[in-house]
Amino acid sequence: MRILVVEDYAPLRKSLVLGLRDAGYVVDETGDGEEGYWYASNNTYDAIILDLMLPGCDGKEIMRRLRHAGSAVTILVLTAKDTVADRVQGLDLGADDYLVKPFALDELLARLRALTRRFVGVKNPIIRIADLEIDPAQRRVLRADASIDLTPREYALLELLASRVGTPVTREEIRQHCYDFSDETASNVIDVYIGYLRRKIDRPGLRPLIHTRRGFGYLIAEPT
Amino acid sequence: MNGWSLRSRLRLGTFAAIVAVMAISSLIVYALINRSLYHEFDATLRTQTQLLAHLVDRQQDFITVDYDAAKFPEYASDVNPDYFCYRSDDDEVLSASPSLIESGRSLPLETGPITAPVIQNLILPDGRKGRCAGIYFKPRSSTVFNDTNVDSPLAHSYPQVKLVVARATTEIESDLSQLALVLLIFCSIAIISTLCIIEFMVRVLLRPVDHVATRIAEYDIHDLSTPWSVKEVPRELVPMVTRLSELLSRLDIVMQRERAFSSDVAHELRTPFAGLRATIEATLARPRDTPHYLTALHECLSICTQTEGVINTLLILSRSDHDHIAITRSACDFDLLLKECWKLVAAEAEKRHLHITWILTPCVAHIDQGLIRLVLTNIYTNAVTYVNDGGTITISTHQDQHATIMTISNSGCSLNPDLAARVFDRFWRGDQARTGTGTHSGLGLALCHVLVTLHGGSIRADIVAEQFTLTITLPL
């Protein structure tokens, strides 16, 4: 999943990015408000972690512009302002969640998972597709009760497909959600990683869950 | 009377005034009536005296008194009689009223001419209070023709008669006692009625004061900005309400600033702590290599150092608010101090290819070097941070007979000139959204302002044609 971090305090931003990448997220980062708005309006993100006090354009203005433009991106606001009035204002401006500094990284990651689950309409924290079980909190994948080791990229790909069960995900969407600006994505790289994923998920003897839709993309679904 | 309520003062004051007025009025009335009654009594007494004087007849050297008890029964009455007594020149009793004779007592001897009798109070022979009039006169002779002129030259050889007439004043006393009683009762009723009216009026008329007090009590401590209309306030209370309203507005501004300051302090301290925590948690989340740990530790140290700077600045500002900073002045070469402090930012200035111009006049200033170093560090950091890349910074000093003046000017200022005075506000930054957290917390120039002011000096900011200039004046 692709996350945008907009936080001007460099030590915090760097640590957030490190923690999110460790958790398997693809992360873009910036310390400037205007740049953050540009990123958000020109790319597709699964969530934006947004500080309110930013140079150039503050977080509230970014939210206002995004929501006015019709963006439904999940926004988790990160700020030191903790009064009720500040929280109410932030939530009313379009934030999906509000986290007060300082915070525990684990809590941030848990809230992010909850927000993205909410966004795709999934209540159960464990994703189950046939005999495939994905636990985003533990980053654990089981098929037929057997644990499967995935690289971070493979896991990100699987998580994206699992969040859209039964719906084809295009290459472009995969590129948007699983690769950040620093990654160079040749057109067949995605096909290669889908191949890796299939080998691990759809082992011989198991019914295939990952399917190709020519001209559309890939999807994961229960075998019919 | 200190601490007495307005109502109590009003009641007491009005009551005292009413009582005083009633008392004085009653006394005046009593005195006037008293005087009138006694005036009338005296007139009657004089008339009686003159009447009795006409009863005296002189025949040669003999004086006869033609008193007829039937005509003047009051002098012979057994009950409350009047008294008279005729005496000769040598105070020999010539005649007296039966009442006097019966009592065996005498009347006073003081007399005056018939036109101005001596009137005095006395105790009558029967013990009653009374009043007497005494005259002396030369009686006329009824048998000698033409001997009607007692003032003729021959009159001096005529015998003189003294007459004292006395009457009781019990009636007057009784009337006056009744008058006093009536006045007392009237005054009492009037005072009690007035007290009741005063009580009612005080309650009604001081109701606006109660309204003002209620209005003050209803003020929300968290929102003092609500304006107070003076339309329903009595004219006498308008100045007080107006001043109170102004005071509350100023208090609201101060409280808003304090809330904003507290919020800013919380923000400026929370963000570095969030950075510290996130750095440590991210580092510990999984095994890392040594360089990573070292980098993380250095980052944590940097955050701690920056936060320490913010806290120290806040402490100095807090101490200055409570006058807890002592200035220790010593003479120092000010121009050398400026050069020395520049070394802290020289590397950054070089990195940004800045052009530095020094226009220094050697001068000695009597300053607290530690505090002024803080000032210089902050203004240098400010200049180097906000100047444009490749821009210019000009530092100059000169001294006149009163003060040492230093200016520092940097190019590339994008602030509105109207905001120049705001740069000394705590936590104020040109870009309000920027997170300070340490070197650019918005406290540096606020600190400079406080420290320069402690020296008895001044600091001013000017923005002209994208040049930001600080002028510091330190008195000699």
Side-chain angles (χ1 to χ4, degrees):
Chain A
M1 303 195 78
R2 196 173 181 186
I3 309 290
L4 173 64
V5 173
V6 189
E7 164 62 60
D8 69 324
Y9 185 53
L12 178 58
R13 185 177 69 249
K14 281 189 236 171
S15 302
L16 275 179
V17 169
L18 178 63
L20 288 166
R21 283 181 179 154
D22 282 348
Y25 292 102
V26 172
V27 185
D28 291 328
E29 57 168 306
T30 178
D32 181 78
E34 283 294 351
E35 199 171 272
Y37 175 69
W38 185 89
Y39 273 106
S41 48
N42 288 281
N43 296 282
T44 305
Y45 291 100
D46 294 284
I48 299 175
I49 297 174
L50 180 66
D51 183 25
L52 289 186
M53 302 280 281
L54 294 165
C57 176
D58 72 13
K60 290 177 190 170
E61 182 58 25
I62 292 174
M63 276 194 290
R64 229 181 258 121
R65 288 193 207 170
L66 287 175
R67 295 312 186 207
H68 185 71
S71 170
V73 65
T74 300
I75 298 177
L76 190 155
V77 161
L78 221 59
T79 182
K81 288 181 177 280
D82 69 336
T83 65
V84 172
D86 291 319
R87 278 186 273 192
V88 167
Q89 189 187 28
L91 291 168
D92 283 346
L93 280 172
D96 294 283
D97 202 356
Y98 200 101
L99 198 54
V100 176
K101 299 174 188 175
F103 52 87
L105 209 50
D106 284 344
E107 184 181 353
L108 174 79
L109 294 171
R111 282 178 183 264
L112 212 50
R113 287 193 295 271
L115 286 172
T116 48
R117 271 202 313 272
R118 205 185 305 161
F119 185 74
V120 299
V122 172
K123 292 282 188 187
N124 195 338
I126 309 290
I127 304 169
R128 289 190 177 85
I129 305 162
D131 58 352
L132 176 68
E133 196 175 284
I134 305 168
D135 183 351
Q138 305 292 329
R139 293 173 57 81
R140 192 179 60 184
V141 179
L142 297 170
R143 178 123 196 228
D145 295 326
S147 179
I148 301 173
D149 263 335
L150 297 177
T151 66
R153 186 80 70 196
E154 289 166 356
Y155 179 84
L157 190 51
L158 177 64
E159 198 178 43
L160 177 63
L161 293 175
S163 69
R164 314 267 197 93
V165 172
T167 307
V169 180
T170 65
R171 280 194 182 78
E172 181 55 28
E173 284 174 318
I174 292 171
R175 191 190 67 75
Q176 290 261 348
H177 286 271
C178 298
Y179 293 87
D180 59 32
F181 283 115
S182 60
D183 294 327
E184 288 190 16
T185 47
S187 61
N188 65 335
V189 167
I190 292 169
D191 298 328
V192 168
Y193 270 95
I194 290 289
Y196 291 156
L197 196 60
R198 267 185 169 135
R199 274 204 283 281
K200 290 182 181 179
I201 299 294
D202 296 338
R203 292 195 305 274
L206 296 172
R207 295 174 75 182
L209 297 177
I210 297 173
H211 310 279
T212 304
R213 285 290 179 269
R214 273 191 202 288
F216 287 101
Y218 301 95
L219 67 93
I220 192 167
E222 285 197 41
T224 51
Chain B
M1 285 208 30
N2 287 336
W4 282 35
S5 67
L6 275 178
R7 283 195 173 82
S8 301
R9 288 175 193 235
L10 267 174
R11 283 189 199 106
L12 182 65
T14 316
F15 174 72
I18 296 287
V19 166
V21 166
M22 298 294 281
I24 291 169
S25 304
S26 300
L27 284 173
I28 290 172
V29 166
Y30 182 85
L32 285 174
I33 293 176
N34 186 341
R35 189 177 164 193
S36 173
L37 286 175
Y38 273 100
H39 185 76
E40 202 178 306
F41 182 89
D42 291 349
T44 307
L45 200 55
R46 273 196 287 273
T47 306
Q48 271 183 290
T49 309
Q50 284 168 1
L51 272 175
L52 287 175
H54 280 93
L55 297 180
V56 179
D57 190 36
R58 179 181 60 81
Q59 290 175 353
Q60 304 242 331
D61 289 332
F62 293 102
I63 305 294
T64 57
V65 179
D66 184 18
Y67 168 70
D68 183 356
K71 290 181 184 173
F72 300 96
E74 62 270 25
Y75 298 103
S77 170
D78 293 329
V79 180
N80 301 329
D82 295 344
Y83 300 88
F84 69 81
C85 180
Y86 292 94
R87 286 197 175 89
S88 64
D89 221 2
D90 51 4
D91 291 331
E92 188 184 334
V93 176
L94 299 173
S95 177
S97 60
S99 54
L100 189 63
I101 295 168
E102 208 173 300
S103 72
R105 309 281 288 275
S106 62
L107 295 176
L109 303 174
E110 291 80 12
T111 54
I114 199 165
T115 52
V118 171
I119 299 177
Q120 59 185 308
N121 293 325
L122 79 164
I123 301 295
L124 296 173
D126 56 10
R128 291 176 297 159
K129 283 186 186 172
R131 208 163 159 80
C132 65
I135 59 172
Y136 60 80
F137 59 97
K138 289 186 188 283
R140 289 186 173 78
S141 172
S142 59
T143 54
V144 177
F145 188 71
N146 289 331
D147 188 17
T148 57
N149 187 5
V150 295
D151 297 321
S152 71
L154 289 175
H156 70 277
S157 63
Y158 296 163
Q160 187 164 267
V161 175
K162 294 178 184 176
L163 169 62
V164 176
V165 178
R167 286 180 64 197
T169 55
T170 44
E171 266 187 44
I172 292 180
E173 296 290 329
S174 172
D175 290 342
L176 287 174
S177 296
Q178 284 183 6
L179 174 65
L181 183 64
V182 167
L183 285 174
L184 185 66
I185 292 170
F186 171 74
C187 286
S188 300
I189 293 172
I191 287 169
I192 292 169
S193 306
T194 307
L195 275 178
C196 295
I197 293 171
I198 289 169
E199 182 64 31
F200 174 74
M201 295 304 290
V202 162
R203 279 189 194 187
V204 170
L205 294 176
L206 287 183
R207 225 169 259 165
V209 177
D210 289 336
H211 290 156
V212 168
T214 305
R215 180 72 192 274
I216 292 170
E218 285 171 356
Y219 248 93
D220 181 2
I221 192 70
H222 301 294
D223 181 17
L224 299 175
S225 61
T226 310
W228 194 338
S229 170
V230 296
K231 279 184 193 166
E232 295 169 0
V233 176
R235 199 174 47 192
E236 290 79 8
L237 295 180
V238 165
M240 185 191 84
V241 168
T242 305
R243 296 286 178 281
L244 183 65
S245 196
E246 288 167 6
L247 179 66
L248 289 173
S249 293
R250 287 199 294 273
L251 192 59
D252 184 56
I253 292 170
V254 167
M255 287 176 73
Q256 278 181 19
R257 278 195 195 148
E258 193 172 315
R259 279 195 288 269
F261 181 74
S262 297
S263 175
D264 287 337
V265 168
H267 180 265
E268 294 304 324
L269 292 179
R270 278 184 161 152
T271 301
F273 277 116
L276 200 61
R277 183 172 186 169
T279 301
I280 295 169
E281 284 184 350
T283 304
L284 293 176
R286 57 179 57 197
R288 312 278 182 194
D289 56 20
T290 304
H292 190 114
Y293 285 124
L294 283 173
T295 306
L297 285 171
H298 281 297
E299 189 73 71
C300 291
L301 183 60
S302 170
I303 295 170
C304 289
T305 306
Q306 287 175 3
T307 310
E308 186 185 348
V310 171
I311 292 171
N312 284 337
T313 303
L314 287 171
L315 278 172
I316 294 174
L317 289 171
S318 173
R319 283 186 195 131
S320 74
D321 286 342
H322 295 91
D323 300 322
H324 287 162
I325 297 184
I327 304 280
T328 309
R329 293 178 192 261
S330 59
C332 87
D333 294 313
F334 194 57
D335 49 313
L336 295 179
L337 183 65
L338 292 179
K339 284 276 195 176
E340 194 185 318
C341 290
W342 181 258
K343 290 177 188 167
L344 293 167
V345 298
E348 180 65 24
E350 196 172 321
K351 197 167 103 179
R352 296 188 63 202
H353 308 292
L354 303 177
H355 302 284
I356 314 299
T357 305
W358 298 90
I359 309 172
L360 300 182
T361 306
C363 51
V364 173
H366 288 82
I367 52 175
D368 185 312
Q369 291 191 43
L371 296 181
I372 295 300
R373 277 178 190 274
L374 272 177
V375 172
L376 293 174
T377 306
N378 274 288
I379 62 175
Y380 285 164
T381 306
N382 193 72
V384 169
T385 302
Y386 294 109
V387 69
N388 50 313
D389 284 334
T392 58
I393 294 177
T394 306
I395 303 164
S396 67
T397 61
H398 69 276
Q399 204 172 54
D400 60 24
Q401 57 187 340
H402 301 295
T404 304
I405 298 124
M406 174 210 170
T407 62
I408 176 166
S409 181
N410 63 272
S411 60
C413 176
S414 59
L415 288 178
N416 190 315
D418 293 338
L419 296 174
R422 296 290 313 274
V423 300
F424 301 111
D425 289 351
R426 297 176 188 190
F427 290 117
W428 191 89
R429 291 181 286 272
D431 185 338
Q432 282 301 296
R434 184 179 296 279
T435 301
T437 56
T439 48
H440 310 304
S441 59
L443 292 174
L445 290 182
L447 180 64
C448 292
H449 188 272
V450 163
L451 296 179
V452 168
T453 307
L454 279 172
H455 279 77
S458 66
I459 181 168
R460 194 183 77 234
D462 296 290
I463 303 170
V464 177
E466 296 189 1
Q467 285 281 337
F468 180 82
T469 304
L470 286 172
T471 305
I472 296 174
T473 305
L474 295 167
L476 292 174

